[in-house]
């Protein structure tokens, strides 16, 4: 039987050093490996994050006409990071340059805050209560 699949998160950013500093400060991750001059592996979450330095307005893929845009944008994929202390994590995110989009909101599963990173990517910080997502599971 083949090994189970493993999630790897790749994020395009226009400034690798700034992104490395941001994500290490906000998510408490650390640098694993450097993959040449344009990529760095961040470890410490359940899935590694790879930051890939790509210039703004560069082609997103060879086959698609889309161009990279690092202003705030919407994508159907974003990061949710579970934290033990949302207030502390939120203050770290803001201090590192995140834009707080909603403040802290109560949810049946705990507390949540949504942000944009300095590169336009959306992410959420979630402090689960004792029930977590079981509170909304059917």
């Amino acid at each position: 039987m083949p090994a189970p699949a493993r999630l790897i998160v790749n994020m395009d950013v226009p400034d690798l050093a700034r992104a490395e500093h941001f994500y290490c400060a906000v998510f408490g991750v650390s640098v694993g490996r450097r993959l040449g001059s344009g990529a760095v592996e961040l470890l410490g979450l359940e899935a590694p994050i790879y930051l890939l330095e790509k210039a703004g307005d560069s082609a997103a893929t060879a086959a698609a006409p889309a161009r990279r845009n690092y202003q705030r944008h919407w994508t159907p994929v974003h990061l949710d990071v579970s934290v033990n202390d949302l207030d502390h994590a939120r203050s770290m995110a803001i201090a590192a340059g995140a834009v707080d989009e909603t403040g802290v909101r109560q949810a049946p599963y705990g507390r949540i805050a949504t942000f944009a990173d300095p590169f336009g990517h959306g992410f959420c910080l979630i402090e689960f209560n004792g029930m977590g997502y079981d509170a909304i599971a059917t």
Side-chain angles (χ1 to χ4, degrees), residues 80-104:
D80 282 353
V81 177
S82 173
V83 298
N84 292 326
D85 182 344
L86 181 59
D87 297 318
H88 176 73
R90 179 175 172 261
S91 67
M92 294 296 293
I94 293 167
V99 175
D100 185 348
E101 296 182 328
T102 63
V104 176

Side-chain angles (χ1 to χ4, degrees), residues 71-138:
Q71 296 173 348
R72 179 61 171 120
H73 56 274
W74 183 87
T75 176
V77 177
H78 68 273
L79 300 177
D80 282 353
V81 177
S82 173
V83 298
N84 292 326
D85 182 344
L86 181 59
D87 297 318
H88 176 73
R90 179 175 172 261
S91 67
M92 294 296 293
I94 293 167
V99 175
D100 185 348
E101 296 182 328
T102 63
V104 176
R105 301 183 327 269
Q106 292 294 325
Y109 48 83
R111 302 167 62 222
I112 183 171
T114 60
F115 301 87
D117 75 6
F119 317 101
H121 306 301
F123 69 94
C124 301
L125 297 175
I126 302 173
E127 180 183 293
F128 286 110
N129 60 24
M131 295 211 37
Y133 282 146
D134 285 344
I136 59 173
T138 57

Side-chain angles (χ1 to χ4, degrees), residues 5-122:
R6 183 172 153 226
L7 178 66
I8 297 172
V9 177
N10 287 282
M11 298 178 68
D12 292 354
V13 296
D15 183 333
L16 191 60
R18 185 173 174 212
E20 177 184 326
H21 174 77
F22 178 84
Y23 282 102
C24 287
V26 174
F27 295 158
V29 295
S30 59
V31 173
R33 300 173 289 179
R34 295 197 182 274
L35 309 172
S37 63
V40 64
E41 172 187 63
L42 301 180
L43 302 173
L45 298 175
E46 290 184 27
I49 297 173
Y50 290 82
L51 301 174
L52 310 176
E53 190 168 38
K54 306 287 183 178
D57 201 40
S58 61
T61 70
R67 311 294 290 178
R68 286 181 177 82
N69 175 355
Y70 292 114
Q71 296 173 348
R72 179 61 171 120
H73 56 274
W74 183 87
T75 176
V77 177
H78 68 273
L79 300 177
D80 282 353
V81 177
S82 173
V83 298
N84 292 326
D85 182 344
L86 181 59
D87 297 318
H88 176 73
R90 179 175 172 261
S91 67
M92 294 296 293
I94 293 167
V99 175
D100 185 348
E101 296 182 328
T102 63
V104 176
R105 301 183 327 269
Q106 292 294 325
Y109 48 83
R111 302 167 62 222
I112 183 171
T114 60
F115 301 87
D117 75 6
F119 317 101
H121 306 301

